[in-house]
Amino acid sequence: MLSCLGAQRRVFSKGAYVYHAGEPVRALGVVLSGSVSIESDDFWGNKSILDRVEAGEVFAETYACIPEEPLMVSVVAAEPAQILFLEVERVLHTCPDACRYHTRLIENLLRISARKNLNLSRRIFHTSAKTIRGRLLSFLSYRAARSQEAWFTIPFNRQQLADYLGVDRSALSNELSKMQREGLLQVEKNRFRLLAGPL
């Protein structure tokens, strides 16, 4: 099946660029192991992390479907990663053998795109608050509800969380310390526990 999709498997070291902003893209990526960050850098070098794509997830499918539209973001290996690239032209058109897996692949791609839209909408929601505390409360409340456990882990280190929320790292750390002192949460690196305390 993979041969009819123009599949290519590649390995990337941590920090390596999988795709650079401005490039045209013809293949979507499936993360087989490790993870990648979807990042945006402005003219002055300020970085924002838009998303983290984990093993089993897909990236660049939107741009691969519109190859004349250059990437607005970069894809960077957040850790050593193995990625399977699939040519979208071959994915969208069923093969002459009409293999049963092809239809399932197209259905899954549509579901993945819908989930990505939800994730982007969620990030806009988390970054719409004017204060760092507001952004933290929105993001951490969502992660806690999703985890349904007292302690939960986020997929970002402190710098990545600051980039994701669009705030300065030191200001974010100061706000987390302040929230801890006020009894709103407990923090252990990227593990959090929300507490009922005064806002």
Side-chain angles (χ1 to χ4, degrees), residues 59-84:
F59 63 89
E61 70 284 354
T62 301
Y63 288 99
C65 287
I66 314 170
E68 66 274 9
E69 194 66 41
L71 270 173
M72 292 176 59
V73 295
S74 293
V75 182
V76 181
E79 58 188 311
Q82 186 179 50
I83 297 168
L84 179 69

Side-chain angles (χ1 to χ4, degrees), residues 40-48 163:
S40 173
D41 295 305
D42 66 18
F43 181 80
W44 297 273
N46 299 309
K47 180 184 296 183
S48 291
D163 291 341

Side-chain angles (χ1 to χ4, degrees), residues 103-145:
T103 303
R104 173 64 63 87
L105 181 63
I106 293 169
E107 289 172 1
N108 288 344
L109 185 59
L110 184 58
R111 285 193 185 92
I112 287 166
S113 293
R115 187 170 297 283
K116 288 280 186 77
N117 284 337
L118 276 176
N119 287 341
L120 288 174
S121 298
R122 208 173 279 128
R123 182 175 187 268
I124 291 168
F125 185 73
H126 296 325
T127 58
S128 63
K130 291 184 172 63
T131 65
I132 294 173
R133 178 171 293 200
R135 293 179 184 203
L136 278 167
L137 289 172
S138 174
F139 175 73
L140 294 174
S141 295
Y142 164 71
R143 297 298 301 196

Side-chain angles (χ1 to χ4, degrees), residues 14 35 37 39 47 49 52 54 77-79 136 139-140 153-170 172-173 176 187-192:
K14 180 179 179 178
S35 62
S37 290
E39 302 179 357
K47 180 184 296 183
I49 295 179
R52 179 84 165 255
E54 306 284 345
E79 58 188 311
L136 278 167
F139 175 73
L140 294 174
T153 303
I154 66 170
F156 302 127
N157 63 30
R158 200 58 50 87
Q159 182 62 58
Q160 292 167 334
L161 178 59
D163 291 341
Y164 178 80
L165 295 177
V167 299
D168 177 73
R169 177 183 174 169
S170 59
L172 176 81
S173 294
L176 282 171
V187 185
E188 293 176 1
K189 294 187 176 179
N190 65 337
R191 293 181 70 239
F192 290 83

